[in-house]
């Protein structure tokens, strides 16, 4: 039996996916368009662990989809497994949300991990966003000292 070429098999699979609606091209699409958009891993000035300095370290989540997405139980973590678990929160369609390292009062656009130490390594790290089930939604890695370049 002859093995079919990938060019002939893929269109058939794509057509089947369109009929069933079960296959999405990226994890972010499967998560309603939620992605890690930007990581500011090195707060300006000296790392003195003040709350202002801790809160200048953040991860920005973006919903590129056309409807709100519940993040309840989702987890944002680094390679050392420092974990932030989202409470009963939704991110609106086409909205962004920053998750700050330090203490503060949560709003629709800003969440706070309430930590007293930095999470994100300045030289290299990976921010990973997962569903409550543990399924990976998105990740962003860096090996630079310039957080202005860390758009994911």
């Amino acid at each position: 039996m002859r093995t079919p070429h990938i060019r002939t098999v893929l269109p058939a699979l794509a057509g089947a996916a369109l009929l069933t609606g079960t296959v999405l091209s990226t994890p972010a699409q499967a998560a309603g368009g939620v992605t890690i958009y930007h990581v500011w891993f090195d707060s300006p000035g000296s790392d003195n662990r003040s709350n202002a300095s801790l809160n200048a370290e953040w991860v920005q989540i973006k919903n590129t989809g056309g409807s709100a997405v519940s993040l309840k139980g989702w987890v944002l973590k680094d390679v050392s497994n420092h974990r932030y678990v989202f409470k009963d929160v939704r991110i609106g369609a086409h909205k962004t949300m920053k998750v700050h390292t330090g203490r503060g009062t949560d709003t629709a656009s800003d969440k706070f991990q309430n930590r007293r130490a930095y999470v994100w390594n300045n030289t290299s790290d990976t921010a990973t966003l997962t569903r409550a089930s543990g399924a990976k939604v998105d990740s962003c890695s860096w090996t630079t000292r310039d957080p202005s370049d860390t758009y994911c």
Side-chain angles (χ1 to χ4, degrees), residues 25-121:
S25 63
T26 66
Q29 286 175 330
V34 177
T35 63
I36 297 174
Y37 180 66
H38 190 190
V39 180
W40 198 276
F41 52 84
D42 187 7
S43 59
S46 63
D47 289 346
N48 58 15
R49 288 195 180 189
S50 71
N51 195 50
S53 180
L54 290 167
N55 281 331
E57 177 183 85
W58 45 260
V59 174
Q60 189 173 39
I61 308 296
K62 185 174 187 176
N63 180 0
T64 62
S67 59
V69 175
S70 172
L71 302 180
K72 183 177 183 179
W74 287 30
V75 176
L76 178 65
K77 62 184 177 178
D78 70 345
V79 294
S80 297
N81 206 28
H82 294 101
R83 301 162 54 92
Y84 171 75
V85 179
F86 287 86
K87 298 174 182 135
D88 192 6
V89 64
R90 296 174 68 81
I91 184 169
H94 309 291
K95 299 290 184 185
T96 60
M97 173 187 301
K98 285 184 182 175
V99 180
H100 301 271
T101 299
R103 298 175 310 282
T105 303
D106 288 351
T107 67
S109 59
D110 292 280
K111 304 300 178 198
F112 297 87
Q113 295 189 50
N114 295 315
R115 295 183 181 274
R116 297 178 189 271
Y118 299 97
V119 171
W120 309 107
N121 295 328

Side-chain angles (χ1 to χ4, degrees), residues 112-134:
F112 297 87
Q113 295 189 50
N114 295 315
R115 295 183 181 274
R116 297 178 189 271
Y118 299 97
V119 171
W120 309 107
N121 295 328
N122 292 350
T123 54
S124 69
D125 209 339
T126 299
T128 302
L129 183 65
T130 64
R131 292 181 181 272
S133 66

